[in-house]
Amino acid sequence: MRGWHVFEVEIARRQVDDVSARLRTLGATGLQEDVVAGTKPVLRQPWDTGPVARQPRRVLLRAWFDAQPDLGDLAGAWSFQPEEDWNEGWKQHFQPVYISPRLTIAAPWHEVQGDGVVIIEPGNAFGTGDHQTTRSCLVAIERLAVPGGTVLDVGCGSGILALAAARLGMRAFGNDLDLDAVVAARDAAERNALPAVFTEHGLDALPGHWPATYDLVVANLYAEVLAALSADLLRLADGPIACAGILADRAQLVRDALGERALLVDETDGDWTHLVFGPRESRR
Ligand SMILES: C[S@@+](CC[C@H](N)C(=O)[O-])C[C@H]1O[C@@H](n2cnc3c(N)ncnc32)[C@H](O)[C@@H]1O
């Protein structure tokens, strides 16, 4: 069988250059530096103070060989990676996500047509619709969309939620701290020819010409982030606030933080809780 012998070794960050050079000399045709499982630094939030998180001290170095060489005292793990059509294997993983007759999310290569289709290119940013948290927000958008109204997608990732709302007739706005996500979302808006704009600014610094309040706010973010943003969410949302990305055992944090609004939906499926709070006039 054709393929590659893959060598993985965990080393100190300061050794990367030396070990890479040695692996190259021994015939490595490709090298990749990766994070050791469980050591990825947490995304820095605007309210984080203090020193920037340090890069993990240890890294995982991966090297590809046509044949297994003798690596001497370099102790790591070998595996075999058969040659395959990576593009096709990867694509098969994604299926269109059908939400309703009015809304389907599809990848560019899916042959799905119709007015309710939003095309999202997988791989550019989080949010293809195949994650349960994204899907629960899509269902909420399908129920709560107000044609002609405004929607704010907090942590837009690929832009999927904003674009779904735009597909249902809303004027969509989205933000994300990650500039790559903002670029992906803008590309997706253009590809779908939908009225959606995106910014990398935080909720406390949205562009001045954007609406001051929104008819719907969606936020697929961790419970801790939702709680920290709760004052902004309550200020910006005239209409309902649909939240996901909440680990079930942290959900009370969000229920409390947004608790001045009526809780319309409180659903837990496996690890994840989905909450929808009512419009401004709704009280608990
Ligand atoms: C789980 S993804 C959600 C993506 C997409 N909205 C979806 O539902 O599939 C969360 C996104 O929020 C962004 N994010 C994290 N903290 C944020 C914050 N405080 N403000 C804005 N975006 C944030 C991340 O960069 C990431 O793109």
Side-chain angles (χ1 to χ4, degrees), residues 98-144:
Y98 176 84
I99 301 294
S100 77
R102 305 192 299 162
L103 186 60
T104 299
I105 311 298
W109 56 85
H110 290 140
E111 288 175 15
V112 190
Q113 280 166 7
D115 294 343
V117 178
V118 175
I119 301 290
I120 296 290
E121 177 88 55
N124 288 348
F126 187 101
T128 52
D130 63 341
H131 199 275
Q132 176 185 344
T133 59
T134 309
R135 229 176 4 243
S136 58
C137 286
L138 290 168
V139 170
I141 290 167
E142 155 65 31
R143 288 195 192 131
L144 299 169

Side-chain angles (χ1 to χ4, degrees), residues 43 45 47 126-127 134 155-157 160-161 176-178 220-221 225:
L43 182 64
Q45 300 287 350
W47 54 83
F126 187 101
T134 309
C156 62
I160 182 169
L161 302 181
D176 202 297
L177 295 186
D178 179 352
N220 182 4
L221 296 164
V225 181

Side-chain angles (χ1 to χ4, degrees), residues 7-11 15 18-19 22-23 26 58 69-78:
F7 178 70
E8 281 187 355
V9 62
E10 195 186 308
I11 53 172
Q15 293 177 299
D18 287 351
V19 177
R22 192 164 148 202
L23 291 168
L26 290 165
R58 298 190 68 75
D70 178 1
L71 297 182
D73 61 347
L74 205 51
W78 282 101

